[in-house]
Amino acid sequence: MNDCALISRRRWLCAAAALSATSLGGCGNRSSTSSDRVLRVFNWSDYIHEDVIPEFEQRRQCSVVYDNYSSDAELETRLATGGGGYDVVFPSDRAMAALLAKDLLSPIDMARLANFRHLDAKFLSPPFDRGNHYSVPYFWGTVAVGLRTDKVTDTVHSFEPLFDPRYRGRITMLDDLENAVAAVLLHLGLPLNSVEPGDLAQAQRLLLAQKALLQAYTSDAYKERLYAGDAWVSLGWSGDLLQAARLEPRVPLRVVVPKTGTMIWLDSMAIPRRAPNVELAHAFIDYLLEPPVALRNATAVQYATPNVAAQSLLPAAQREDESVYPPAATLDRCAWLENRGTDIEKIEAIWRQVRA
């Protein structure tokens, strides 16, 4: 892993980045390779083991062009314009809704995925793709709380330090209206997807009161603030926080998945509607589902794998890390952010007041 791993994979609100992507490995320059033996992959940065692509190339006698993107907006723009001619992409759960609405994805042929059986049923048929007609789970995680344990010495079980006056000026909150409101609703003991006026009024009051305690709203700089000791408490995405903790072992960071429940996210593998090589795309997805391959990816990336067979092969320390794989009692209290439809306007109205 390298410093690029610090780039957040959950930048939900950022605009499309420049549309040039860097070809990373694989053999995209093999001009003599027939086009039907070329696979083009578009993925988040540092989201695959470095040996996986070369192994697939050797096994399938093909060439892989492997590019990176840094936001859902960039992925959606590239697919909408047909740029890149990609065969496999890795959308977030919230990106999936937009991609499906614009008919930018191709149906998955499950008959070609022999290794689909290794996936945990808990992550199948998610709200954004019932029946997994267009997506196959890749990695998952939660919204969690990152702590500087040299500054926050109390036992923390949930979101409580985000609202603690003792940490005034040392707290960061995700600059993400849906996750911020959902976290506050959970802290108040209310359903995280509630759009009831009374529930939202309580959430707005608490967010406005919390504002005086905050150092910043940020969805991509909270890790650096925790490293530096500028922030002591941060709401963030579990995978980013866990990578940060492992990349900077000298910094006393702890990741808490709230026992009261939190938001689940899921990144999936999908095939674009305009994919030139659908057959090889299915072969690549099935390859990534092989337990030894999924194991290598999970070990390298440090996110939670939905592959049960791969999870059973993980080192005990990683498999039993509750910040990566929350216990069943906690996971049962977690939920997806739902599509609010027109009710999202109620959440947007709260956020305008809070961020004013």
Side-chain angles (χ1 to χ4, degrees), residues 240-313:
D240 289 337
L241 291 165
L242 289 162
Q243 281 191 349
R246 291 181 173 91
L247 284 167
E248 296 289 343
R250 291 170 296 180
V251 176
L253 294 180
R254 180 183 169 219
V255 181
V256 176
V257 178
K259 294 184 182 300
T260 52
T262 185
M263 292 68 76
I264 294 176
W265 57 261
L266 178 69
D267 288 345
S268 300
M269 299 175 277
I271 299 175
R273 174 68 68 180
R274 301 180 187 180
N277 202 332
V278 172
E279 180 180 355
L280 202 54
H282 280 89
F284 184 65
I285 291 173
D286 197 48
Y287 165 74
L288 293 180
L289 293 175
E290 292 181 11
V293 176
L295 171 66
R296 272 185 285 163
N297 281 337
T299 301
V301 175
Q302 299 289 335
Y303 281 61
T305 177
N307 191 309
V308 176
Q311 187 177 334
S312 69
L313 299 173

Side-chain angles (χ1 to χ4, degrees), residues 79-326:
L79 296 188
T81 59
Y86 294 109
D87 300 297
V88 180
V89 294
F90 295 77
S92 68
D93 48 296
R94 283 200 278 182
M96 281 292 301
L99 297 181
L100 289 172
K102 296 181 179 181
D103 195 28
L104 294 175
L105 299 179
S106 179
I108 300 285
D109 182 358
M110 289 299 172
R112 301 187 188 188
L113 302 183
N115 291 301
F116 189 84
R117 68 186 189 279
H118 298 303
L119 292 170
D120 191 333
K122 290 194 294 291
F123 301 100
L124 300 181
S125 197
F128 55 84
D129 183 22
R130 294 297 186 191
N132 289 102
H133 297 295
Y134 296 91
S135 65
V136 176
Y138 184 58
F139 279 114
W140 67 276
T142 60
V143 174
V145 179
L147 303 171
R148 282 288 301 241
T149 55
D150 56 336
K151 305 295 185 181
V152 180
T153 57
D154 294 348
T155 300
V156 174
H157 296 293
S158 191
F159 298 104
E160 60 269 15
L162 292 166
F163 309 95
D164 194 325
R166 291 178 297 171
Y167 309 128
R168 180 185 298 271
R170 302 291 187 175
I171 301 169
T172 72
M173 196 74 168
L174 283 173
D175 192 8
D176 181 299
L177 72 166
E178 290 191 82
N179 277 297
V181 171
V184 170
L185 286 168
L186 284 170
H187 180 67
L188 291 168
L190 300 169
L192 70 91
N193 285 300
S194 178
V195 290
E196 292 298 318
D199 294 349
L200 294 182
Q202 290 186 62
Q204 181 173 327
R205 285 194 295 271
L206 184 53
L207 280 166
L208 289 170
Q210 182 202 38
K211 190 172 180 178
L213 306 178
L214 295 184
Q215 181 182 111
Y217 293 99
T218 175
S219 293
D220 54 10
Y222 53 87
K223 300 177 298 298
E224 289 76 7
R225 292 171 185 262
L226 286 169
Y227 299 151
D230 297 330
W232 299 350
V233 183
S234 294
L235 185 69
W237 287 283
S238 59
D240 289 337
L241 291 165
L242 289 162
Q243 281 191 349
R246 291 181 173 91
L247 284 167
E248 296 289 343
R250 291 170 296 180
V251 176
L253 294 180
R254 180 183 169 219
V255 181
V256 176
V257 178
K259 294 184 182 300
T260 52
T262 185
M263 292 68 76
I264 294 176
W265 57 261
L266 178 69
D267 288 345
S268 300
M269 299 175 277
I271 299 175
R273 174 68 68 180
R274 301 180 187 180
N277 202 332
V278 172
E279 180 180 355
L280 202 54
H282 280 89
F284 184 65
I285 291 173
D286 197 48
Y287 165 74
L288 293 180
L289 293 175
E290 292 181 11
V293 176
L295 171 66
R296 272 185 285 163
N297 281 337
T299 301
V301 175
Q302 299 289 335
Y303 281 61
T305 177
N307 191 309
V308 176
Q311 187 177 334
S312 69
L313 299 173
L314 286 169
Q318 187 175 350
R319 187 175 64 250
E320 296 168 5
D321 187 342
E322 294 188 357
S323 60
V324 184
Y325 298 98

